[in-house]
Amino acid sequence: MKVDLLLAPGGNTRELVEAAGAAGIDTVWWVDSPAVFGDPFVAMAVAATVDDRMNYGVAVVNPLSRDLLMAAASIASIRVLTSRRVLLGVGVGHTGTSAFALPKATLAQLERFVNGMRSVLSGGDHVREDGIVERVVNPAPPWFDVEAPVGMFVAAGGPKGLPLAGRIANGVLVGGLADTAVIGRARQLVAAGAESAGRDPASVEICVTPSLAVSKDPIPDDALRESLGPKSLGPALTFRRLCADVYGPDAEVVRQLTRIEEAYKTFGSAERDMSSTHAKRLKGYMTELEDWQRPLVTDELLNLTSIHGTVKECAAAIGALADAGVDRLILSPSPQHVLEALPLLKDTITAVNVATS
């Protein structure tokens, strides 16, 4: 199992990349949350000049806020800077659409976007719905590289999106999950999609992006909730149906996820009577809990969506994910705690390797 990092791009990109390299990380992904964090393509370009030994990716762009040709040109521009692989995560939208007050893309739009990106990034054409043909005009270095492979990963967490990912993607970004049984259900849906397209299910990487809080000593419950809560609430809005499939509709974790959905709907209804700017709707995303969110962050939620605890405890959780068949673990420390987490993450990975050797 590969162990990667998911980071928030910003002015500390150079420092983050150097720390990730020192921790032995091979691949860094950058969040695409416009106007919340910095631009992921800028971060990838900077990172490629800091450490050319790593793979870099963006997780995730969407068909509505990222123009296809512009996004493809950005990826091809970064690819010419590095000798390593560039990875592209694509989804229907979350912060990338809500920042612009846009609805999420449809699965049909997502599929067209993935197919178009794959064509342009391999030197081919993309024909828009209005008949306009798009392509990279100067595909050769020093401007672009559209010959090297770009890994295409589809973000999905529902009963329709997961089979789609199995049909069209190199890998599926299942999202912020750490529950091996729920991940197993997601794997079944991805496999069904792959088989429907005549693909080997084993050829589709299963990737999860749980939150991470690792410490030398046990972490107090309140501190753990404040650290992980801002990141763990997002996945809760995605995985209720999968959890119901696995544990039944009356399970406590399903009831808690339902309460979270209802709380967000209530908050959204109140917000529609106010300014609908992204600053109000995305305040505290991944970094800080709002008062109305704190009661929603329970032990069950954190166990579902995160890896947390001492080095030994985190190593055991990572080992369990490897045993469950996860191909790529993309750990997501809280943005404000990344630099303190990375040295301990190195110790954690070492502990996992020792335990499994």
Side-chain angles (χ1 to χ4, degrees):
M1 182 178 72
K2 304 178 182 71
V3 179
D4 303 350
L5 273 179
L6 177 64
L7 300 177
N12 59 347
T13 291
R14 180 178 295 273
E15 185 178 15
L16 290 175
V17 171
E18 290 173 347
I25 297 299
D26 180 68
T27 301
V28 170
W29 299 73
W30 302 96
V31 173
D32 185 21
S33 293
V36 180
F37 302 113
D39 186 272
F41 296 112
V42 173
M44 290 169 71
V46 171
T49 63
V50 172
D51 190 333
D52 190 42
R53 298 167 299 174
M54 284 191 189
N55 304 310
Y56 296 106
V58 57
V60 295
V61 304
N62 70 83
L64 300 184
S65 63
R66 292 286 183 185
D67 176 78
L68 187 152
L69 185 59
M70 289 293 290
S74 295
I75 289 290
S77 298
I78 293 161
R79 185 61 190 84
V80 84
L81 295 174
T82 175
S83 61
R84 298 296 297 275
R85 198 177 185 203
V86 176
L87 310 174
L88 175 62
V90 181
V92 295
H94 179 45
T95 59
T97 50
S98 60
F100 302 98
L102 295 170
K104 292 183 179 181
T106 66
L107 291 179
Q109 288 172 316
L110 176 63
E111 184 168 8
R112 287 195 298 270
F113 190 81
V114 169
N115 291 335
M117 288 288 286
R118 181 173 280 123
S119 178
V120 172
L121 287 171
S122 61
D125 294 341
H126 168 243
V127 182
R128 297 186 336 201
E129 290 185 303
D130 60 6
I132 298 296
V133 177
E134 297 180 322
R135 69 173 66 92
V136 173
V137 177
N138 294 306
W143 295 281
F144 300 107
D145 182 349
V146 295
E147 292 186 358
V150 173
M152 196 75 67
F153 292 73
V154 167
K160 295 181 180 179
L162 288 164
L164 172 64
R167 286 198 291 108
I168 67 174
N170 300 108
V172 54
L173 297 167
V174 178
L177 272 180
D179 184 298
T180 56
V182 180
I183 293 169
R185 174 56 180 153
R187 175 185 285 279
Q188 291 174 351
L189 292 168
V190 171
E195 290 169 351
S196 72
R199 303 180 68 195
D200 179 3
S203 68
V204 185
E205 284 192 43
I206 302 297
C207 317
V208 293
T209 62
S211 306
L212 172 71
V214 57
S215 175
K216 291 181 180 179
D217 302 308
I219 306 171
D221 288 347
D222 288 347
L224 192 64
R225 290 188 177 93
E226 290 295 320
S227 175
L228 295 178
K231 173 68 166 53
S232 289
L233 284 169
L237 302 174
T238 303
F239 300 119
R240 181 179 58 81
R241 285 174 294 180
L242 287 184
C243 287
D245 283 351
V246 173
Y247 295 115
D250 296 325
E252 177 59 26
V253 66
V254 177
R255 288 198 295 267
Q256 290 189 19
L257 296 182
T258 301
R259 285 197 290 271
I260 293 171
E261 286 187 349
E262 292 171 349
Y264 270 83
K265 288 178 182 177
T266 300
F267 175 75
S269 296
E271 282 292 287
R272 280 193 285 273
D273 296 329
M274 303 164 60
S275 169
S276 61
T277 64
H278 66 271
K280 287 185 178 292
R281 287 181 287 108
L282 297 176
K283 182 181 179 183
Y285 176 67
M286 286 182 64
T287 59
E288 183 180 4
L289 283 174
E290 296 290 295
D291 288 341
W292 66 275
Q293 295 172 320
R294 285 190 173 87
L296 304 174
V297 183
T298 63
D299 291 343
E300 287 83 1
L301 175 66
L302 296 185
N303 291 335
L304 177 72
T305 60
S306 70
I307 291 173
H308 56 269
T310 63
V311 168
K312 183 177 180 180
E313 290 169 334
C314 290
I318 291 173
L321 290 173
D323 292 342
V326 171
D327 299 300
R328 187 182 293 266
L329 173 63
I330 308 172
L331 293 169
S332 178
S334 300
Q336 64 270 38
H337 300 307
V338 174
L339 291 175
E340 61 192 76
L342 284 177
L344 293 172
L345 178 57
K346 181 178 182 179
D347 295 341
T348 303
I349 295 172
T350 299
V352 174
N353 292 336
V354 169
T356 57
S357 62

